[in-house]
Amino acid sequence: MQKKNPITFHRMIRTILIDDQKKSRRVLEQLLVNHFKEDIEIVGTAESAHEGIELINELKPDLLFLDVEMPYMSGFEMLQQLHDINFDIIFVTAHDHYAIKAIKFSALDYLLKPVDLDELRSAISKLLGKKKEPTANSQLDVFFQHLKNNQPTNKIALTTNSGMSFVEIGDIIRCEASSNYTVCHLTDGKKITTSHTLKNAEQLLYEFGFFRVHRSHLINMKHIKQFVKADFGTIIMDDGTEVEISRGAKEEFLKKFPSI
């Protein structure tokens, strides 16, 4: 376990790196020092989850780069040992496994090894643009619900310009593309604009009964009220919204409903 004592003159992101592989720690540390020294202050590194817990409790970091796969105690297990998490987390993993989906659902960030500079720059850019508010515990609640027994959670974290919203998936009536953003329309009439693209939203919500009926529209099949056959077809949702269905999606859409 190694502590660092750099001298700084402005508020930087106090960061701890936790990874059992020395080479991986050094590569990430070098990338941060070489390219992000104006924003990132590495206050400590640890080679195990146990050492990581000690450093976190002592140094109270703003950001944790956390290896997922470590002997004796994984990164996920380490987080469950902490009483309160008031820092941001960027997971680092060598495997694109099922946990990645849980990470995406909770709007947490991750990097695949070997760490790519552009991916790292993107993750830090999102972090710098994020509104400072205590969302880490809520994000991890969503994450662990989804990860537990590899079962999906009933909530999703939506990243917005003003922070983050945690929404019941069943309350989403439809999602509408808006440039590189997505507007989620909820049962209470609220609209939430998230930085997810509609493609991202489709990948996350497909297994919950959402269907892409148009290049601009993803609908919750549980909130369909009526299908009108005119032209290619129009779907009327529970909130009265009329959504056109594309020619390519119509046949697959109709297969999902048995006719009598």
Side-chain angles (χ1 to χ4, degrees), residues 64-201:
L64 200 67
F65 282 93
L66 179 60
D67 186 21
V68 172
E69 299 90 3
M70 293 185 288
Y72 309 114
M73 186 190 299
S74 72
F76 300 149
E77 291 168 334
M78 188 205 82
L79 292 174
Q80 292 176 303
Q81 298 295 314
L82 299 172
H83 298 297
D84 190 36
I85 297 174
N86 51 12
F87 49 81
D88 288 296
I89 302 162
I90 297 178
F91 291 108
V92 184
T93 177
H95 306 288
D96 191 357
H97 49 43
Y98 74 92
I100 297 301
K101 190 166 188 179
I103 291 171
K104 290 179 178 178
F105 251 89
S106 52
L108 293 162
D109 219 333
Y110 73 98
L111 299 168
L112 288 174
K113 294 181 182 180
V115 174
D116 177 77
L117 177 58
D118 288 336
E119 295 291 330
L120 178 60
R121 185 174 282 117
S122 175
I124 292 178
S125 177
K126 283 189 283 185
L127 185 68
L128 293 173
K130 180 180 174 183
K131 182 180 178 182
K132 295 299 179 186
E133 55 182 32
T135 60
N137 283 306
S138 298
Q139 286 176 272
L140 287 169
D141 285 343
V142 173
F143 169 73
F144 283 119
Q145 286 178 38
H146 193 92
L147 187 65
K148 186 178 180 182
N149 300 320
N150 198 20
Q151 293 297 316
T153 179
N154 60 353
K155 275 191 174 182
I156 187 169
L158 301 177
T159 304
T160 67
N161 288 334
S162 61
M164 193 166 292
S165 296
F166 297 88
V167 176
E168 294 283 342
I169 293 173
D171 290 341
I172 302 174
I173 294 177
R174 65 188 178 91
C175 301
E176 183 178 3
S178 177
S179 186
N180 288 324
Y181 296 87
T182 295
V183 180
C184 297
H185 298 260
L186 308 183
T187 54
D188 61 4
K190 291 182 180 178
K191 300 178 184 179
I192 298 177
T193 300
T194 174
S195 56
H196 284 293
T197 63
L198 193 64
K199 182 178 181 180
N200 293 150

Side-chain angles (χ1 to χ4, degrees), residues 230-241:
D231 297 323
F232 296 128
T234 299
I235 299 164
I236 302 175
M237 306 302 292
D238 283 340
D239 63 352
T241 303

Side-chain angles (χ1 to χ4, degrees), residues 1-2 16-20 25 44-48 51-52 55:
M1 178 168 57
Q2 181 182 3
I16 291 176
L17 315 182
I18 303 176
D19 193 324
D20 66 298
R25 286 199 314 275
T45 63
E47 61 181 20
S48 72
E51 289 184 359
L55 277 183

Side-chain angles (χ1 to χ4, degrees), residues 31 53 97 103 127 142 161 164 202 219 224 244 256 258:
L31 285 172
I53 291 173
H97 49 43
I103 291 171
L127 185 68
V142 173
N161 288 334
M164 193 166 292
E202 180 183 13
I219 66 170
I224 293 175
E244 291 184 1
K256 293 182 177 293

